[in-house]
Amino acid sequence: MRAHPVIRWEITMSDTKPLTGKVALVTGSTSGIGLAIAERFLLEGATAIISSRQAERCQMVADDLAQRTGSTTHAVPCDVSDEAQVDTLYSRIDELCGRLDIAVLNAGISGGTTAIADYNLEDWQRVMATNLTGVFLTARGAFRSLRAGGGGAIIVISSQAGIYGYATKGAYCASKFGARGLAHALSEEGRRYNIAVSCLCPGTVETPILAATNTHVRHPLQPSEVADAAFYLAQLGPNSMVKDVLLERRHTT
């Protein structure tokens, strides 16, 4: 009886960083999820555009990340709810880098914890301006840049609150549902231009936004875990696209 040959599998690990040569914009990247994503992308070889409303903090974070990761960073402050500033953001990226490959649209605010019946219009509009209009403006700019450059990836950071509604968080939920819907529409529009659009919906994450809502949970997700998911989406192959990633806590008790 002839013996079957023994098949030996050998896995060779490459030293190549998957995002080497890529330029990645991360909005809201001076704290929390955005900061973790920017750091992960830098460690994977990307050049990162650090952006938030605070110019001084943008530069401080960009300098710190560059020193710690050994990769190139650029600080470009931007209020995502301001159309003129968003236009300037993409003009500066073109001037600094000459290209854009990945845009992570993360900038957002909490909206507090108030029942819809007691919510005032000014607060509602403030949440929508950043969390929904801001996503529209930055997504539009990113799409135009990527279309001109032959393709790339857009990752919209929504939330588990963009899939499920929660009492006293109506404005935040509405903005995140809206951002997710926009991402889905844009993903269909991007197919012909080789632009992959994904929506990442984390559950409760230990961030300044969580602290601002006075929400207390056991075992919240860490920003680095969201960064892992964003990195996965950023380096998908040319013929694959993931529309939604719902990232939940494994342990809730």
Side-chain angles (χ1 to χ4, degrees), residues 1-8:
M1 184 174 181
R2 190 170 62 183
H4 293 290
V6 175
I7 300 174
R8 300 183 186 278

Side-chain angles (χ1 to χ4, degrees), residues 8 10 14 21 31 69 77-78 83 107 109 121 129 132 149 173 177 217 224-225 229 232 237:
R8 300 183 186 278
E10 293 184 5
S14 172
S31 66
T69 65
C78 179
E83 184 176 20
I109 59 177
L121 182 59
L132 186 51
C173 289
F177 266 84
V217 299
S224 60
E225 294 173 298
Y232 160 73

Side-chain angles (χ1 to χ4, degrees), residues 184-250:
H184 283 198
L186 201 62
S187 71
E188 294 303 313
E189 295 172 8
R191 289 180 188 274
R192 63 183 294 191
Y193 301 108
N194 197 35
I195 299 172
V197 183
S198 303
C199 190
L200 176 51
C201 302
T204 306
V205 185
E206 191 170 16
T207 65
I209 283 185
L210 179 65
T213 62
N214 294 316
T215 301
H216 302 285
V217 299
R218 292 173 62 85
H219 309 297
L221 290 166
Q222 296 302 305
S224 60
E225 294 173 298
V226 184
D228 289 342
F231 169 63
Y232 160 73
L233 294 171
Q235 50 86 53
L236 286 171
N239 194 40
S240 59
M241 180 173 67
V242 176
K243 279 194 173 183
D244 272 329
V245 172
L246 172 58
L247 191 65
E248 294 188 337
R249 294 173 290 148
R250 182 178 300 174

Side-chain angles (χ1 to χ4, degrees), residues 77-163:
C78 179
D79 179 344
V80 298
S81 67
D82 185 313
E83 184 176 20
Q85 290 192 40
V86 173
D87 289 343
T88 299
L89 167 67
Y90 287 104
S91 294
R92 285 290 292 149
I93 292 172
D94 190 51
E95 291 170 7
L96 291 165
C97 304
R99 61 181 292 126
L100 180 67
D101 300 285
I102 304 162
V104 181
L105 312 182
N106 167 73
I109 59 177
S110 71
T113 53
T114 304
I116 293 171
D118 300 320
Y119 217 85
N120 66 64
L121 182 59
E122 182 180 358
D123 288 341
W124 171 272
Q125 291 174 331
R126 183 172 58 87
V127 173
M128 295 302 155
T130 297
N131 292 7
L132 186 51
T133 301
V135 171
F136 159 68
L137 291 173
T138 50
R140 184 182 68 177
F143 195 94
R144 290 170 175 173
S145 294
L146 295 175
R147 182 176 60 188
I154 297 173
I155 302 170
V156 175
I157 306 298
S158 179
S159 168
Q160 186 171 300
I163 298 175

Side-chain angles (χ1 to χ4, degrees), residues 61-81:
V61 169
D63 291 344
D64 178 63
L65 286 174
Q67 183 177 27
R68 289 195 291 109
T69 65
S71 295
T72 302
T73 64
H74 298 287
V76 185
C78 179
D79 179 344
V80 298
S81 67

